[in-house]
Amino acid sequence: MIKSIKEVIAEKDLLFILAKRDITVRYKQTVLGILWAVIRPVATMFVFIFAFKQIPALSSTNKYPFQLILFSGILVWNYFANSFQAVSNSLLVNSNLISKVYFPRLIIAFSSIAVSLLDLLIGLVVYLILCIYFQYPITFNILYFPLVIIVISFFSIGLGLILGSFSIKYRDILQIIPIVVQYGFFVSPVVFTIDSLLNKSWFIYYLILNPIVGLIEISRYVLLEGYKSINLLQFLITLTSAFLCFIIGITIFNKRENSFVDHL
Amino acid sequence: MKIVEVESVGKTYKLSNNDSPSYKNGLKSFFNSESKQVFNALTDVSFSINKGDKLGIIGNNGAGKSTLLKILSRITQPTKGNIYVRGKVASLLEVGTGFHPELSGRENIFLNGAILGMTKNEIKSQFDEIVDFAGPQIAQFLDTPVKRYSSGMYVRLGFAISAHLNPEILIVDEVLAVGDADFQKKSLGKMKEVAAQEKTILFVSHNLTAVQNLCNKTLHLENGKVKHFGETGAILNSYMAENQSRKLNHEFENFNDAPGNEIIRLKKAEIFPQLDPNIDYWTTQNSFTITFDFWSLLKSANLNISLHVFASTGECIFNIGSEIKVFESGIIATKIDIPGNFLNDGNYYISVMVVQDGSKVLYNFENLFEFEIADYRENTSWFGKWPGYVRPNFPINIVQLTKSN
């Protein structure tokens, strides 16, 4: 596993140029260009602001600006969901490369998160503007956010590699991925917080099975001043679970890598 | 030292009726993996080449050439056997691999270069040479998305990038068969330049002239197996001799079985090239003789024969007729000598007519012969198709008329 990571690093020029390709191509021939990276999360936020105004019960828990809770959740979730989908589709999207040239295949998977990463950074700027607008303090905790992003990336790459590796032979997986994302949105605290769940006996399993729960909560902890989140032990559980997923992903990928081209 | 070694390599593909299994046979095959049909793309292929060797790989379609190249360039793994490749490999299985249509020519140079294994600095330092090699049209549209390029420009840019790779081992698949004649000339020239260096090249091609001139060794694959491997001259000789398409002789013992009509029947027809002692196949330099014997039942008739030579496109290249003479019924024999260095390389067929009184066609023996003439060139650096249907070697007198200092 270390060996395959080293191979990727050795070919970092290729990694960056593939990432640059995806980013350059993303907003080609659009009028609004990179602004779409702003519009999409904001639009999602407005849907839920509107929905929750109609259902007051859901928005009653907040000590913090409701919009910031929503936006931070959407930001992190979008990054996870988009990068996970990009990684799982990357092999098929780049099948023309895989069948014609050899290079470490992991590079394709790694480089495919670039677009989502850029979207996340732009979304973060929007988030900071929202903070200023609501006159909510921004603390130095935000400096930990990059670390959280790295952990999220490990998780989304891991999960993407697992599903992506199987999707080459079993295209059924491609049908499952959007369902996973759709369900995930509602079983993760994207548009709600976990306050009311903390005391439930099954909460620990919830954290283990769905590392994104802890990752969203930790993100809010570093982004929102005074946000009450999961404790250190719960965070370590989340972390372990995310890394485990990454390791399993790479292992499965390495095992199946050689047969990819025969099924394309 | 052996730079590439291939030891009893086999590649098997599992054939199922549909590649992505449905749940019915999917589950079945999931539980018993035995009952699948297999296809052997390669069987027990072994050979090795030394540093600096240029290996040509030839064979018919489906012989396993592309599979072998894919295995050598690590794109796919062999099912059996081992491969040892010692050195930095660049494989060109197509021109412009990974070009993105939305990106400009400039961006695609960096993208394609990186995909083919060049570092960013290597590309930067060779950027101007690449653009220069690709031609002035590319230089003009360097910042236009390649989706607006003509297919010719696309290919030129792709080849220009690959031409500036600097690997120890170069694996090339037929990329030379693209582009206009001018560009082919340029790219084959570049290949020859690379071949002159201490590089190892593995080269799959249908262009036997190119293989003959570029490669010192040749591997002939047939149905996934090694048919012959060795020095290029000997391998090409046997390959051409086996594969030259021919329908060269007919002979009929009695009138009733022979083709023709009630008065004219074919007795014997033969076309016979005078081959070189060292080359077992028919090349442009060989002369050939056509004999044509037929039965005629006409008494005291004014007969002649007329011979049409057609190119494979159906165009008649020339037509010659014999003198008209009076023949009695019986067997009439004709013989025509056609010199070497006359017909160009290509596929030809010949029809022979028997004519009465100079105008009445008694019978036309269509497609009597089919034959192929192979290219022959010595000391050339141009391997593209020699144009034209004929290739006479009329002497051209060329002298220097004045000298200016």
Side-chain angles (χ1 to χ4, degrees), chain A residues 13-14 17-18 21 24-25 28-29 96-102 105 169-170 258 261-263, chain B residues 11 13 70 73-77 94 97-98 100 102-103 107 110-111 114-115 119-120 147-148:
Chain A
D13 279 0
L14 181 58
I17 207 151
L18 286 175
R21 172 196 70 174
T24 322
V25 167
K28 275 260 162 110
Q29 281 206 5
N96 62 327
L97 291 187
I98 294 180
S99 57
K100 293 293 178 195
V101 192
Y102 176 79
R105 299 330 191 182
K169 190 168 179 193
Y170 302 98
N258 292 335
V261 79
D262 298 336
H263 296 291
Chain B
K11 176 78 182 174
Y13 287 102
K70 280 191 173 180
S73 42
R74 285 181 73 187
I75 291 166
T76 184
Q77 302 269 316
E94 77 184 353
T97 307
H100 198 290
E102 297 286 349
L103 296 180
E107 289 166 318
F110 281 94
L111 177 62
I115 288 168
T119 65
K120 204 174 169 183
K147 68 177 173 184
R148 309 248 179 263

Side-chain angles (χ1 to χ4, degrees), chain B residues 54-55 92 133 159 162-163 170-176 184-197 199 201-205 210-211 213-215 381 383:
Chain B
K54 330 290 172 201
L55 178 73
L92 302 175
F133 188 86
F159 188 85
S162 357
L170 185 65
I171 298 178
V172 188
D173 189 3
E174 284 286 15
V175 279
L176 307 165
Q184 275 193 35
K185 199 167 177 173
K186 207 168 176 182
S187 51
L188 278 155
K190 183 77 187 177
M191 279 287 288
K192 191 152 192 176
E193 191 188 309
V194 174
Q197 299 163 8
K199 299 268 161 67
I201 299 180
L202 292 95
F203 175 47
V204 161
S205 185
V211 170
N213 280 274
L214 290 174
C215 305
S381 56
F383 316 116

Side-chain angles (χ1 to χ4, degrees), chain B residues 230-262:
Chain B
E231 299 302 317
T232 294
I235 305 294
L236 282 188
N237 205 0
S238 59
Y239 176 77
M240 286 301 295
E242 285 161 28
N243 284 278
Q244 220 165 29
S245 71
R246 288 173 186 185
K247 196 169 91 186
L248 299 184
N249 57 63
H250 310 268
E251 185 157 13
F252 298 93
E253 288 303 321
N254 52 61
F255 186 86
N256 292 332
D257 303 336
N261 58 16
E262 56 280 7

Side-chain angles (χ1 to χ4, degrees), chain A residues 26-191:
Chain A
R26 178 68 189 274
Y27 297 111
K28 275 260 162 110
Q29 281 206 5
T30 58
V31 177
L32 296 182
I34 202 92
L35 265 184
W36 282 110
V38 176
I39 296 169
R40 272 180 289 117
V42 171
T44 318
M45 181 181 75
F46 274 115
V47 170
F48 285 97
I49 290 175
F50 177 76
F52 290 170
K53 276 219 174 105
Q54 309 304 314
I55 317 164
L58 280 172
S59 57
S60 62
T61 54
N62 292 297
K63 303 182 288 266
Y64 329 95
F66 179 59
Q67 292 82 352
L68 292 186
I69 293 284
L70 274 180
F71 197 79
S72 56
I74 291 166
L75 200 61
V76 172
W77 172 260
N78 275 0
Y79 173 61
F80 166 72
N82 293 338
S83 57
F84 151 66
Q85 290 187 89
V87 172
S88 18
N89 294 331
S90 60
L91 294 164
L92 281 172
V93 170
N94 290 291
S95 58
N96 62 327
L97 291 187
I98 294 180
S99 57
K100 293 293 178 195
V101 192
Y102 176 79
F103 51 86
R105 299 330 191 182
L106 261 186
I107 287 180
I108 281 183
F110 277 58
S111 70
S112 64
I113 65 168
V115 170
S116 329
L117 198 59
L118 184 70
D119 284 356
L120 172 70
L121 295 180
I122 293 166
L124 192 61
V125 174
V126 176
Y127 175 81
L128 294 178
I129 294 169
L130 281 179
C131 281
I132 295 165
Y133 177 77
F134 289 109
Q135 295 181 333
Y136 201 81
I138 302 162
T139 67
F140 281 113
N141 268 348
I142 202 167
L143 296 177
Y144 291 108
F145 192 51
L147 292 178
V148 183
I149 295 175
I150 291 174
V151 181
I152 301 171
S153 309
F154 273 114
F155 178 51
S156 63
I157 290 175
L159 196 62
L161 287 178
I162 296 173
L163 292 185
S165 302
F166 287 108
S167 75
I168 300 282
K169 190 168 179 193
Y170 302 98
R171 303 282 160 104
D172 307 42
I173 306 283
L174 298 178
Q175 308 296 323
I176 296 172
I177 290 169
I179 304 177
V180 172
V181 171
Q182 210 167 28
Y183 280 36
F185 185 87
F186 291 106
V187 301
S188 311
V190 183
V191 292

Side-chain angles (χ1 to χ4, degrees), chain B residues 84-205:
Chain B
Y84 305 96
V85 178
R86 304 184 176 92
K88 193 182 163 205
V89 179
S91 55
L92 302 175
L93 302 198
E94 77 184 353
V95 170
T97 307
F99 267 16
H100 198 290
E102 297 286 349
L103 296 180
S104 70
R106 183 188 304 277
E107 289 166 318
N108 269 311
I109 291 179
F110 281 94
L111 177 62
N112 181 253
I115 288 168
L116 295 175
M118 292 161 101
T119 65
K120 204 174 169 183
N121 289 330
E122 278 171 355
I123 303 168
K124 263 189 188 153
S125 65
Q126 302 205 65
F127 188 84
D128 293 337
E129 283 169 56
I130 292 173
V131 175
D132 201 42
F133 188 86
Q137 209 180 6
I138 302 285
Q140 193 188 343
F141 293 104
L142 206 52
D143 292 304
T144 308
V146 296
K147 68 177 173 184
R148 309 248 179 263
Y149 281 25
S150 70
S151 51
M153 288 167 72
Y154 192 93
V155 166
R156 276 201 294 278
L157 182 62
F159 188 85
I161 302 166
S162 357
H164 290 81
L165 288 170
N166 196 18
E168 290 158 73
I169 304 164
L170 185 65
I171 298 178
V172 188
D173 189 3
E174 284 286 15
V175 279
L176 307 165
V178 290
D180 51 32
D182 227 27
F183 192 73
Q184 275 193 35
K185 199 167 177 173
K186 207 168 176 182
S187 51
L188 278 155
K190 183 77 187 177
M191 279 287 288
K192 191 152 192 176
E193 191 188 309
V194 174
Q197 299 163 8
E198 266 298 275
K199 299 268 161 67
T200 307
I201 299 180
L202 292 95
F203 175 47
V204 161
S205 185

